[in-house]
Amino acid sequence: MSAAETRHMYCPICATPLSKQQVNGENRRACTNPSCDYVEWNNPTPVLAAIAQTGDNVVLVQARGWPKDWFGLVTGFHESGETAEEGVAREVKEELGLGCQVESLVGVYSFFQLNQVIIAYHVLLDKGDVTLDKTELVNYKKIPIEKLQPWPSGTGKAVQDWLKTKGIEKEPVSFLRTKK
Ligand SMILES: [Zn+2]
């Protein structure tokens, strides 16, 4: 998935330039045409994430353009017309080429840097070999659950919370400090 943010220069309704204005006491970008009431709310985008378990391992993936030590959860944008559970199973199928059973909701996490809200699930992968989606991903690895190390941002908190349900208490560690 890409993290493109939708910020318009012009009103998407009437094409008049947007400007910063006070709306209900908050600074928002809004249409400057007095007969148009468009406000750019800039709501967070829902993103689905999967802690994808196979046996005693979790599959982490590396997206294109990431440093080579970085691995994360399978993630993707929630699409229209699907439930969150259907969406996370779709992303797992697209990125890993495997079906899965959605076990439980791990939690919902605000990712302010990317203006996203992450909805994280624990899923059990169907048996079979991973077939990576090479358009989005360059690598994957299977990590034994007890060796899984949460990271500070985005989906890392979901990993930390899920490990807690297994009786494993770990503080997040930055990728930079886990480099060997
Ligand atoms: Zn307008």
Side-chain angles (χ1 to χ4, degrees):
M1 65 172 220
S2 69
E5 224 188 321
T6 49
R7 309 290 322 242
H8 300 291
M9 289 282 293
Y10 298 94
C11 176
I13 313 282
C14 73
T16 306
L18 301 179
S19 76
K20 274 221 171 99
Q21 298 174 35
Q22 286 281 312
V23 180
N24 302 333
E26 296 283 335
N27 242 334
R28 304 278 184 199
R29 292 170 78 241
C31 186
T32 49
N33 174 355
S35 65
C36 175
D37 57 8
Y38 175 78
V39 177
E40 186 186 70
W41 296 108
N42 196 28
N43 302 107
T45 305
V47 167
L48 305 168
I51 296 175
Q53 184 181 353
T54 174
D56 295 326
N57 298 287
V58 166
V59 177
L60 299 182
V61 295
Q62 184 168 68
R64 286 197 176 279
W66 287 9
K68 70 173 174 50
D69 301 311
W70 289 26
F71 285 83
L73 302 182
V74 168
T75 58
F77 291 117
H78 195 351
E79 294 185 354
S80 79
E82 65 185 9
T83 65
E85 288 85 354
E86 287 166 351
V88 79
R90 174 185 51 73
E91 284 294 339
V92 166
K93 183 81 184 168
E94 284 173 10
E95 297 199 356
L96 303 181
L98 289 172
C100 70
Q101 186 184 322
V102 179
E103 283 290 291
S104 59
L105 177 69
V106 176
V108 178
Y109 304 91
S110 296
F111 191 10
F112 296 112
Q113 294 98 315
L114 294 182
N115 193 29
Q116 295 173 345
V117 59
I118 296 166
I119 306 164
Y121 288 93
H122 170 219
V123 311
L124 289 178
L125 293 175
D126 292 349
K127 293 217 177 338
D129 294 329
V130 170
T131 309
L132 214 56
D133 171 12
K134 295 281 187 183
T135 63
E136 289 191 24
L137 304 172
V138 288
N139 205 356
Y140 75 96
K141 61 181 180 183
K142 291 180 181 174
I143 310 256
I145 292 168
E146 73 275 6
K147 291 204 172 149
L148 193 58
Q149 172 59 57
W151 48 93
S153 64
T155 50
K157 186 74 173 63
V159 171
Q160 185 184 18
D161 287 349
W162 181 69
L163 286 173
K164 240 179 246 173
T165 69
K166 307 260 163 214
I168 303 171
E169 299 270 349
K170 277 190 189 170
E171 288 304 312
V173 174
S174 157
F175 290 117
L176 300 174
R177 282 186 284 140
T178 54
K179 250 186 208 168
K180 286 174 195 76

